[in-house]
Amino acid sequence: MDLIVSIISSTVSTVMSWNDFINFKIILLSIVIEAFPFLILSVMVSAMLSHFVSESRIRSMLPKNKFLSLIMACFLGILFPVCDCGMVPIVRRLVLKGVPLPTAIVFMLAAPIINPIVGAATAFAFRNHIEVVFLRLGAAFFVALFAGLFINFFFIGNQLKKAGEIHSHTHGCCHDTTDNHLIEPSFLNKIIFTFRDASNEFFEMGKFLLIGAMLGSLSQILLPHAMLLTLGQNSFLSTGFMMLFAFFISVCSSADAFIAASFSTSFSLGSLITFMVLGPMIDLKNLLMLLYTFRTRFVIWLTLMIILLCSSAAYVINHL
């Protein structure tokens, strides 16, 4: 044990000084402590909706008119603030129950961002900069709506993989639940399932938050400040860097604002907004679930379209 501690201490001392290590801990803890309450609230609400609100209820709230249906889907997250990690299974069930593909995809893209929990978390992370909240929600609305319009124009059919290509009989917010339950669980069981799924999702998303917070804190400490400023103030490079960062760390939408805020002194506003919009829409874990559920050509097209729309939003925000 002493040998392991000695090796770790030696490794840390060669990479950063003791003061750097103290600063790393301060930044890391500040991100995690501020983000955890919103993460707990998010997973609880998401798990409750998963067990107490049916897809039929969501479907009944959507207008018949295609364009109005897309608009309504953008704002459904206000009523159903679902975590992005549980959206793909929900969208699949909506499509199977007859909701048009463009409307279901718009709901998948917008709901994890355009909701009260994410708005409050963003406002808390960017104190005294309430405009960040409106820019984030506005950019999410723009990307989701235009993605829906393009899908409506270019794609016919539900784009789901054939039933034989998908096998599933698992449970939980982050898993596919395509089986049909004939027995309605009791109210008590729904409460138990809610806490079970919320706990599972909290630990599942908590590790992504820790990884993202550690990477963000390390970059603040290890990268020279001049390099960060050069990278962050370049509109093209900063947007590309933050999109890649958002894709790979896969942080929940209720916690990513706290990581973005740690870059606020060195990165452009457009790149920060892109980080908070693209991540909940298409990150590594969501991409794998999409490839499992939808046809590969559709997923590739959707991913490229989201990247293009997010880049456009970042360009506009940087030049406002």
Side-chain angles (χ1 to χ4, degrees):
M1 188 65 184
D2 292 340
L3 177 63
I4 295 175
V5 173
S6 175
I7 292 173
I8 294 175
S9 300
S10 175
T11 304
V12 170
S13 63
T14 57
V15 176
M16 62 176 73
S17 66
W18 180 250
N19 286 335
D20 288 338
F21 184 64
I22 296 296
N23 290 332
F24 165 74
K25 287 199 302 183
I26 292 173
I27 297 173
L28 175 64
L29 287 176
S30 65
I31 293 174
V32 171
I33 291 173
E34 289 182 336
F36 261 19
F38 291 98
L39 183 60
I40 293 172
L41 181 61
S42 174
V43 297
M44 280 301 301
V45 172
S46 181
M48 285 180 63
L49 292 175
S50 175
H51 291 288
F52 288 94
V53 179
S54 66
E55 289 80 15
S56 300
R57 175 65 61 86
I58 297 175
R59 181 188 173 189
S60 66
M61 298 180 66
L62 295 170
K64 298 295 182 185
N65 180 279
K66 286 185 179 179
F67 184 71
L68 292 179
S69 179
L70 294 179
I71 298 288
M72 184 67 186
C74 286
F75 293 109
L76 274 182
I78 296 173
L79 301 175
F80 308 109
V82 186
C83 174
D84 61 284
C85 70
M87 285 304 297
V88 176
I90 293 175
V91 166
R92 183 174 186 272
R93 291 197 294 270
L94 287 174
V95 172
L96 287 174
K97 291 190 176 185
V99 174
L101 178 68
T103 304
I105 293 297
V106 167
F107 177 59
M108 180 188 77
L109 299 179
I113 304 174
I114 304 177
N115 70 64
I117 298 174
V118 171
T122 308
F124 192 80
F126 289 88
R127 300 178 187 86
N128 303 320
H129 294 282
I130 192 67
E131 70 276 8
V132 176
V133 179
F134 295 109
L135 287 172
R136 182 183 191 184
L137 301 188
F141 178 86
F142 161 78
V143 174
L145 179 62
F146 275 84
L149 291 173
F150 282 125
I151 292 171
N152 186 56
F153 186 77
F154 287 108
F155 288 92
I156 300 173
N158 61 31
Q159 299 300 315
L160 291 171
K161 287 186 174 178
K162 295 178 182 177
E165 299 177 61
I166 298 177
H167 60 88
S168 61
H169 196 98
T170 56
H171 298 266
C173 178
C174 297
H175 301 289
D176 202 353
T177 54
T178 57
D179 50 346
N180 295 317
H181 294 273
L182 299 177
I183 302 176
E184 180 73 13
S186 65
F187 181 80
L188 178 60
N189 281 337
K190 286 184 178 180
I191 295 291
I192 294 173
F193 293 156
T194 295
F195 278 97
R196 181 201 62 187
D197 289 349
S199 300
N200 291 337
E201 191 176 351
F202 174 76
F203 287 107
E204 182 71 19
M205 297 313 302
K207 65 186 179 186
F208 288 112
L209 171 62
L210 285 175
I211 293 172
M214 288 181 67
L215 291 175
S217 305
L218 282 174
S219 66
Q220 300 290 319
I221 299 300
L222 298 181
L223 294 179
H225 190 60
M227 180 188 294
L228 272 180
L229 280 177
T230 302
L231 177 65
Q233 296 307 310
N234 182 293
S235 180
F236 178 77
L237 292 178
S238 61
T239 301
F241 175 84
M242 294 307 284
M243 284 198 294
L244 280 175
F245 193 39
F247 178 81
F248 283 107
I249 63 172
S250 303
V251 178
C252 179
S253 57
S254 60
D256 58 3
F258 297 94
I259 296 175
S262 68
F263 288 93
S264 60
T265 57
S266 49
F267 274 69
S268 65
L269 181 57
S271 64
L272 298 178
I273 297 296
T274 301
F275 173 82
M276 294 185 286
V277 172
L278 183 133
M281 291 185 175
I282 189 79
D283 58 20
L284 186 57
K285 66 179 187 306
N286 287 341
L287 180 63
L288 294 176
M289 285 192 284
L290 285 170
L291 288 170
Y292 178 78
T293 306
F294 291 95
R295 294 172 184 166
T296 303
R297 176 176 171 271
F298 172 73
V299 176
I300 293 174
W301 193 91
L302 178 65
T303 303
L304 294 177
M305 184 171 53
I306 292 172
I307 292 173
L308 179 62
L309 289 170
C310 285
S311 302
S312 303
Y315 179 84
V316 172
I317 292 170
N318 283 336
H319 291 82
L320 283 177

